[in-house]
């Protein structure tokens, strides 16, 4: 029996590739050698491939459920956590990996480890405050039912404010609420200050003050919200017909182009347009109910409605002003 074997002097990754050896080197026709790093010619050194490693999963999935359950890595990095989601957590399960119930001594030991692990999560007081602020941002976003992308933007904005030392001397809850409001404004999402301030744990004045600081110091790309952008939100809660919604959007655009409602609360303008559209389409909406949903007073709604009526009268009688 011969003692000479291919694995006596080389590794299994260094076995020459049969397919490439039969073809030979395209430059000199020499023997092509494949190892764990690259595929190269032994004579002239021409490198044909430098990444032959398969980076795919090492398991096979036979259905969609099995493919979703099997994962090779943890969750991706996220700006919503102070450590970008890289830290580990000790759970509260009362059983081990085999399903056996833990003894009382073992549970006490794990409880002590969990307590020390919780204490060692933050390397400084600033990092602990950052974790508290990001959790407050997540709470407000969840209460407002905002999308996940906007949650990440708000957390990144809060992180930037903390890095620029804008939280010093201000409430963490106020800056967190202001970050959510600023993210909504930058993304063009129609959310009023009142909605965010209702979910905040501090007063309205502190939230508005923190928003002004973020907008001024960070030079945020905020734009004023248009009047018609608040119409879909109001009409969806009132469950009016699509024709009324389209008419309200047209009225809001007409009122904005006239310049009469410049400087007015856009939500009140949208509420006045929805009320006028409901009257035109025979839908019974009270001013009080509409004002409650728009979070404005009935006086504001009537004032915007009267402005809209004056614009409609002028458009229907273009020579009225000249005759007067």
């Amino acid at each position: 029996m011969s003692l000479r074997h291919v694995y006596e002097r080389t590794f299994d990754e260094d076995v020459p590739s049969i397919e490439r050896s039969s073809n030979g080197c395209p430059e000199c026709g020499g023997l092509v050698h494949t190892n764990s790093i690259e595929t190269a010619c032994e004579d002239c050194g021409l490198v044909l491939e430098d990444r032959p490693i398969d980076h795919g999963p090492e398991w096979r999935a036979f259905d969609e459920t099995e493919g979703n359950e099997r994962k090779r890595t943890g969750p991706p990095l996220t700006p919503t956590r102070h450590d970008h989601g890289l830290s580990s957590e000790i759970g509260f399960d009362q059983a081990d990996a085999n399903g056996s119930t833990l003894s009382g001594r073992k549970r006490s030991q794990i409880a002590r480890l969990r307590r020390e692990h919780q204490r060692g999560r933050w390397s400084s007081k600033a990092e602990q405050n950052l974790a508290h602020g990001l959790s407050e941002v997540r709470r407000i976003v969840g209460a407002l039912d905002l999308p996940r992308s906007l949650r990440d933007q708000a957390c990144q904005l809060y992180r930037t404010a903390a890095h620029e030392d804008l939280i010093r001397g201000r409430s963490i809850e106020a800056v967190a609420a202001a970050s959510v409001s600023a993210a909504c404004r930058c993304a063009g999402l129609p959310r009023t200050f009142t909605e965010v301030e209702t979910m905040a744990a501090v007063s309205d004045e502190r939230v508005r003050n923190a928003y002004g600081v973020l907008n001024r110091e960070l030079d945020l790309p905020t734009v004023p919200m248009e009047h018609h952008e608040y119409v879909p939100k109001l009409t969806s809660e009132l469950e009016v017909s699509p024709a009324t919604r389209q008419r309200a959007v047209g009225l809001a655009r007409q009122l904005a182009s006239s310049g009469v409602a410049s400087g007015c609360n856009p939500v009140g303008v949208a509420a006045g347009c929805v009320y006028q559209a409901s009257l035109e389409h025979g839908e019974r909406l009270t001013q009080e109910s509409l004002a409650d949903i728009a979070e404005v007073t009935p006086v504001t709604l009537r004032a915007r409605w009267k402005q809209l009526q004056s614009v409609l009268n002028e458009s229907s009688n273009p020579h009225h002003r000249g005759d007067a």
Side-chain angles (χ1 to χ4, degrees), residues 94-102:
Q94 301 297 327
D96 57 7
N98 298 324
S100 303
T101 305
L102 299 177

Side-chain angles (χ1 to χ4, degrees), residues 80-82 131 133-143 151 155:
T80 61
R81 304 285 179 175
H82 71 284
L134 294 178
S135 64
E136 183 68 14
V137 172
R138 296 195 305 270
R139 183 189 68 81
I140 297 175
V141 170
R151 179 200 63 185
C155 291

Side-chain angles (χ1 to χ4, degrees), residues 94-311:
Q94 301 297 327
D96 57 7
N98 298 324
S100 303
T101 305
L102 299 177
S103 61
R105 181 178 181 181
K106 197 66 176 179
R107 289 197 300 268
S108 300
Q109 180 183 2
I110 293 178
R112 290 193 299 270
L113 291 175
R114 187 186 301 111
R115 182 178 64 251
E116 296 300 326
H117 177 71
Q118 185 71 15
R119 292 175 178 175
R121 291 180 60 187
W122 306 289
S123 59
S124 61
K125 185 66 176 178
E127 189 174 355
Q128 185 176 2
N129 293 336
L130 177 62
H132 175 60
L134 294 178
S135 64
E136 183 68 14
V137 172
R138 296 195 305 270
R139 183 189 68 81
I140 297 175
V141 170
L144 295 175
D145 196 17
L146 298 176
R148 183 177 301 178
S149 60
L150 194 137
R151 179 200 63 185
D152 295 343
Q153 294 178 11
C155 291
Q156 187 62 42
L157 180 59
Y158 182 87
R159 188 184 295 271
T160 304
H163 179 72
E164 296 293 335
D165 201 17
L166 300 179
I167 308 180
R168 184 182 299 272
R170 298 179 178 86
S171 173
I172 295 178
E173 291 79 6
V175 179
S179 301
V180 175
S181 181
C184 293
R185 184 65 64 86
C186 294
L189 193 65
R191 288 294 185 273
T192 61
F193 273 112
T194 307
E195 295 180 77
V196 179
E197 292 165 354
T198 304
M199 302 301 172
V202 292
S203 62
D204 301 349
E205 296 180 358
R206 302 177 71 175
V207 175
R208 293 178 182 269
N209 183 23
Y211 173 80
V213 172
L214 295 181
N215 192 17
R216 181 175 61 255
E217 299 295 334
L218 300 181
D219 194 16
L220 300 178
T222 57
V223 294
M225 301 298 297
E226 299 293 339
H227 305 148
H228 64 274
E229 294 180 352
Y230 291 95
V231 172
K233 177 179 180 297
L234 300 178
T235 54
S236 61
E237 296 185 9
L238 293 171
E239 297 181 357
V240 299
S241 62
T244 303
R245 181 175 65 252
Q246 294 296 331
R247 175 56 177 168
V249 171
L251 292 174
R253 294 180 183 272
Q254 182 178 358
L255 189 60
S257 61
S258 64
V260 176
S262 298
C264 299
N265 187 358
V267 185
V269 175
C273 295
V274 171
Y275 182 71
Q276 176 64 27
S278 64
L279 294 179
E280 294 179 1
H281 288 82
E283 298 189 15
R284 304 179 64 86
L285 294 179
T286 61
Q287 295 182 0
E288 185 176 359
S289 62
L290 184 56
D292 291 339
I293 294 177
E295 297 181 352
V296 296
T297 61
V299 178
T300 302
L301 189 150
R302 284 192 294 269
R304 304 289 87 79
W305 177 52
K306 291 180 180 179
Q307 288 179 345
L308 176 60
Q309 286 183 328
S310 63
V311 172

Side-chain angles (χ1 to χ4, degrees), residues 36-39 47-53:
S36 59
I37 301 177
E38 61 185 11
T39 299
V47 178
L48 302 179
E49 292 183 2
D50 60 348
R51 288 186 297 176
I53 301 176

